[in-house]
Amino acid sequence: MSGIEGKVIAITGASSGIGEATARELARRGARVVLGARRTDRLEHLAAEITGAGGQARHRRLDVTDLEDTRAFIDHARTEFGRVDVIINNAGVMPLSALEALKIDEWNRMIDVNIRGVLHGIAAGLPVMKAQGGGQFVNVSSIGGHAVFPTAAVYCATKYAVLAISEGLRQEHQDLRVTVISPGVTTSELADSITDPASKAGMDEFRRIAIPAEAVARAIAYAIEQPDDVDVSEVIVRPTASAY
Ligand code: NDP
């Protein structure tokens, strides 16, 4: 199945930012979208908006740190729509701070959501896609998966990990498409997870040139709409005005 129309696309972290914009863009182009995140009120609202505009959407509460929950989310997509063509592992958190601040709970949270969450999406989706004979993973990394910045050591480590895991997955499966999307600074709620005042102030300045989440959504749509024999392995999409 090529293109976007009719594809069943499960999106983690669909309650705000890039995930929300991607759900809208793909549904507008005829995909059947399945929305996952913890804030179900947001998901319900977005699914109603998509359905009201003539699209097809389902939603289910999802915590990507929980493997069984992630399996249940992908099962829900398959039960509702009969198959799962694309899984967008987008959920992420970014509580930046200097290592010296020893915010160890926040380090663990980033590892749990940004790395384990992606692995859980792969664990839930891989058997389904192998049984179907094809599918696509779109894993959201970052420019922080290409370079390290002060206060972002752990966050960048998680995004480098997304790149490594995705490349390993791609090399092991020539019947699947694997895409990494690496956004630069993008308008979303991501910086809301920063509790360290100095890091928050620095990020407020950095984010002044942010691109809209819709720009990243279009990059994701581009990777999905290619013919089955074309794997867009990575897209970096960043503000023109950004050196990073
Ligand atoms: P947002 O904070 O707006 O969105 C993050 C999403 O992740 C929310 O929908 C949130 O939903 C979800 N999420 C967080 N924790 C969990 C969890 N445990 N289980 C399920 N869902 C979870 O930020 P963005 O849209 O910016 O982030 C999307 C991705 O893009 C992230 O991976 C981020 O690292 C990446 N990225 C963003 C950039 C930016 O500048 N915005 C730049 C580079 C990469 P809920 O809280 O309802 O569960």
Side-chain angles (χ1 to χ4, degrees):
M1 190 189 280
S2 289
I4 291 175
E5 175 124 38
K7 276 191 178 157
V8 179
I9 303 181
I11 307 170
T12 74
S15 60
S16 65
I18 292 168
E20 178 182 359
T22 301
R24 270 202 196 95
E25 174 72 11
L26 296 174
R28 186 183 67 75
R29 298 181 58 176
R32 296 176 282 172
V33 295
V34 184
L35 318 173
R38 293 163 306 168
R39 290 172 292 177
T40 47
D41 52 330
R42 298 273 199 108
L43 298 181
E44 202 176 323
H45 191 266
L46 179 59
E49 180 196 309
I50 289 170
T51 309
Q56 294 193 67
R58 301 288 189 274
H59 65 93
R60 189 183 194 283
R61 188 190 186 280
L62 167 66
D63 184 341
V64 296
T65 67
D66 182 332
L67 173 60
E68 288 317 314
D69 207 28
T70 313
R71 284 189 169 135
F73 173 64
I74 297 303
D75 274 354
H76 182 66
R78 199 167 45 151
T79 306
E80 289 291 311
F81 290 131
R83 53 186 292 116
V84 182
D85 297 296
V86 184
I87 295 175
I88 305 179
N89 287 310
N90 163 73
V93 291
M94 190 190 67
L96 301 180
S97 61
L99 290 170
E100 192 181 22
L102 298 183
K103 289 184 177 277
I104 292 158
D105 288 349
E106 294 186 352
W107 300 351
N108 288 335
R109 187 87 199 132
M110 285 187 275
I111 292 165
D112 285 345
V113 177
N114 301 2
I115 303 179
R116 286 204 176 86
V118 170
L119 287 170
H120 290 163
I122 292 168
L126 199 48
V128 176
M129 291 185 188
K130 294 303 276 189
Q132 283 173 185
Q136 182 175 15
F137 287 96
V138 177
N139 297 331
V140 179
S141 178
S142 170
I143 49 160
H146 290 266
V148 180
F149 310 91
T151 75
V154 179
Y155 178 74
C156 292
T158 67
K159 294 303 184 177
Y160 274 78
V162 172
L163 238 70
I165 291 162
S166 303
E167 178 60 8
L169 181 65
R170 188 190 69 74
Q171 289 179 12
E172 289 175 14
H173 297 279
Q174 271 75 65
D175 52 345
L176 300 180
R177 299 198 296 166
V178 181
T179 300
V180 175
I181 301 290
S182 292
V185 61
T186 304
T187 301
S188 76
E189 298 174 15
L190 194 65
D192 295 356
S193 61
I194 303 174
T195 60
D196 181 62
S199 305
K200 197 163 186 62
M203 193 41 64
D204 286 348
E205 179 58 28
F206 187 57
R207 297 185 80 80
R208 282 176 44 200
I209 54 163
I211 52 173
E214 290 71 19
V216 182
R218 290 194 298 274
I220 292 174
Y222 168 78
I224 295 173
E225 76 186 350
Q226 301 308 310
D228 276 355
D229 60 345
V230 176
D231 179 42
V232 177
S233 302
E234 187 178 5
V235 178
I236 300 178
V237 51
R238 55 160 62 103
T240 307
S242 175
Y244 307 105

